[in-house]
Amino acid sequence: MLANHSLFGAQYANSLDIKIIDEWTLWRNETKHIVADTPYDCGFTLRQYIVSAVDEFKSALLDEKPLQISFSGGKDSSCVVILFIIAMMELKRASLLSSVVKGNTIISANTRSENPRALQLMLEAHTDLSRFIEKEGLPITLILAEPNTNQTLIGRIVTGRGLPSYSNKSAQCSIERKLIPTKSALSRFYRENNIDIKKTVVCLGSRDSESQARRKSLKSFGGTNSVKFSTKSKRYEFYAVKNWTVIQIWDLLNLAGSNQNKVIPSYSENFVKLAEFYRDATGECNYNVTISRNNTKQEGCSSRSGCFDCLRVQRDKSAEQLSKNKQYEYLKPLLHIRQFLSDIERDWSRRNLLGRTLYSGFSRLRLMYSTLILVVLYLLL
């Protein structure tokens, strides 16, 4: 299904009076492209998926709701940004930028432990976005959040201040390296620009077809492909590609770009480098290949790419696959670091009886409660 209230999202956003005719407005008119206009098994075409999401973005922008786009540089969030930029440009072509709410952001997090190639692609995308936003005068602010040194791999793990986030523990790494820095950067931005955070719409690239766990999570938060207030997270949310499969994702990335031969306009020339990265990480890719448009097909080109020291998964299969390629041989020592951290999870000889916690203004030594219990039990035995 597409947008809940209408196939094409907000109807008034779809019927705006366009003042300038170019690639940013003409893309809607074509109806015979072999990829964009051939229906999937669900009955809808890619163009209809795009129109639905773009109009929902425009509806929010004209409804005094600042948009906060979470951008990792991966395939799903790249599609969300493409749709968001198209919405902005259509409003500009309708001479309505002055009516667009201020405080729109595209925010990314550099955990300082990212896969080096993934980080490079994300930073290159930021450069493309920055140039495009400045050139077109769009009311969008790019934010790149980073953790403090004491929240990084070096500051927390190597110094002995804390343990890695093993799979059976809480995801402290995600909280300290990503969640806290992004929340801090956004809070500072909203405060300095007098933006009402309660009206902000958080736009995420999560999709139902990613996995059963993702589908369950989206359902628990009441996530939809239209702007909706979540009673669980207490904020407005919009999952622009929630009902998209990996087929639609790669079809859009294949067709989007600033080249004349591209069907869908974009801020970037093309997304070939991103596709090549996924191809190298998985060994196969749907990109640029005509395959069955069956939406039940197992997702390919869906490699996970996160922190190189992540222990939340048993194996970093994408990094292992990449390291087989001479181009990515630099990942091998990083994989060794990850494996070392995994191997010493239960090596108590490497643990310190004294836990070190940093407090504001000073540090102090504190005997950790759990360790104390182990010591007492050992002495009693």
Side-chain angles (χ1 to χ4, degrees), residues 124-328:
E124 288 178 357
H126 262 248
T127 299
D128 289 344
L129 279 165
S130 179
R131 289 172 179 167
F132 184 86
I133 290 170
E134 182 178 3
K135 174 186 175 183
E136 299 294 341
L138 302 180
I140 304 173
T141 299
L142 284 173
I143 300 177
L144 181 61
E146 293 187 344
N148 296 325
T149 300
N150 64 354
Q151 297 170 321
T152 63
L153 169 67
I154 300 297
R156 177 177 172 82
I157 310 304
V158 176
T159 62
R161 191 174 69 84
L163 295 174
S165 296
Y166 292 108
S167 59
N168 60 340
K169 305 293 182 183
S170 64
Q172 187 69 22
C173 54
S174 179
I175 295 172
E176 290 196 345
R177 300 183 198 176
K178 185 170 293 185
L179 183 61
I180 292 177
T182 53
K183 288 184 68 174
S184 177
L186 284 168
S187 295
R188 184 167 56 252
F189 171 78
Y190 293 141
R191 185 174 60 253
E192 292 174 352
N193 293 276
N194 196 27
I195 305 297
D196 185 358
I197 192 172
K198 294 181 180 179
K199 292 184 177 181
T200 302
V201 180
V202 178
C203 305
L204 302 170
S206 303
R207 297 182 294 110
D208 282 336
S209 63
E210 288 182 74
S211 65
Q212 289 289 343
R214 180 69 75 186
R215 183 181 296 110
K216 184 177 179 180
S217 174
L218 283 171
K219 185 177 180 180
S220 70
F221 277 90
T224 70
N225 59 338
S226 59
V227 176
K228 181 181 177 182
F229 186 81
S230 171
T231 55
K232 187 170 184 178
S233 57
K234 307 297 181 185
R235 65 187 185 187
Y236 286 100
E237 294 179 345
F238 174 35
Y239 296 88
V241 294
K242 176 181 181 292
N243 296 325
W244 294 38
T245 68
V246 74
I247 306 293
Q248 282 101 39
I249 292 295
W250 284 113
D251 280 350
L252 174 55
L253 291 173
N254 184 23
L255 297 180
S258 57
N259 293 339
Q260 289 184 350
N261 62 335
K262 294 297 183 180
V263 178
I264 307 300
S266 175
Y267 62 90
S268 182
E269 182 178 359
N270 58 57
F271 296 89
V272 172
K273 291 181 180 179
L274 180 63
E276 290 175 344
F277 175 65
Y278 275 90
R279 178 202 63 198
D280 294 340
T282 61
E284 60 177 331
C285 189
N286 291 333
Y287 190 78
N288 255 342
V289 179
T290 301
I291 61 175
S292 167
R293 300 172 74 77
N294 185 347
N295 286 336
T296 62
K297 181 179 176 65
Q298 183 178 0
E299 295 216 339
C301 238
S302 297
S303 171
R304 170 204 165 275
S305 179
C307 299
F308 68 79
D309 62 318
C310 180
L311 297 169
R312 306 295 296 173
V313 292
Q314 291 185 344
R315 291 173 54 197
D316 191 341
K317 295 180 181 179
S318 63
E320 291 174 2
Q321 176 67 31
L322 286 169
S323 66
K324 297 175 183 178
N325 189 321
K326 188 174 182 180
Q327 179 184 353
Y328 304 101

Side-chain angles (χ1 to χ4, degrees), residues 44-73:
F44 297 118
T45 66
L46 176 65
R47 199 180 304 274
Q48 288 174 314
Y49 274 93
I50 297 171
V51 167
S52 177
V54 168
D55 286 344
E56 191 67 21
F57 271 122
K58 291 197 294 185
S59 176
L61 290 167
L62 294 174
D63 194 30
E64 295 298 313
K65 290 185 176 67
L67 299 182
Q68 174 197 315
I69 314 294
S70 296
F71 179 58
S72 67

Side-chain angles (χ1 to χ4, degrees), residues 24-135:
W24 293 100
T25 53
L26 289 174
W27 70 271
R28 287 178 179 257
N29 299 335
E30 187 177 347
T31 58
K32 297 182 180 180
H33 190 273
I34 190 171
V35 176
D37 301 301
T38 300
Y40 298 100
D41 287 358
C42 63
F44 297 118
T45 66
L46 176 65
R47 199 180 304 274
Q48 288 174 314
Y49 274 93
I50 297 171
V51 167
S52 177
V54 168
D55 286 344
E56 191 67 21
F57 271 122
K58 291 197 294 185
S59 176
L61 290 167
L62 294 174
D63 194 30
E64 295 298 313
K65 290 185 176 67
L67 299 182
Q68 174 197 315
I69 314 294
S70 296
F71 179 58
S72 67
K75 65 184 190 309
D76 297 328
S77 63
S78 292
C79 283
V80 173
V81 170
I82 291 171
L83 299 169
F84 174 53
I85 293 296
I86 292 175
M88 275 287 190
M89 289 301 294
E90 286 194 344
L91 290 174
K92 179 179 180 179
R93 293 298 183 258
S95 300
L96 285 174
L97 275 190
S98 59
S99 301
V100 170
V101 64
K102 301 301 186 288
N104 302 290
T105 59
I106 297 177
I107 184 164
S108 305
N110 174 15
T111 64
R112 295 164 70 177
S113 299
E114 299 288 334
N115 177 305
R117 180 53 178 161
L119 175 61
Q120 182 183 22
L121 288 172
M122 188 262 284
L123 294 177
E124 288 178 357
H126 262 248
T127 299
D128 289 344
L129 279 165
S130 179
R131 289 172 179 167
F132 184 86
I133 290 170
E134 182 178 3
K135 174 186 175 183

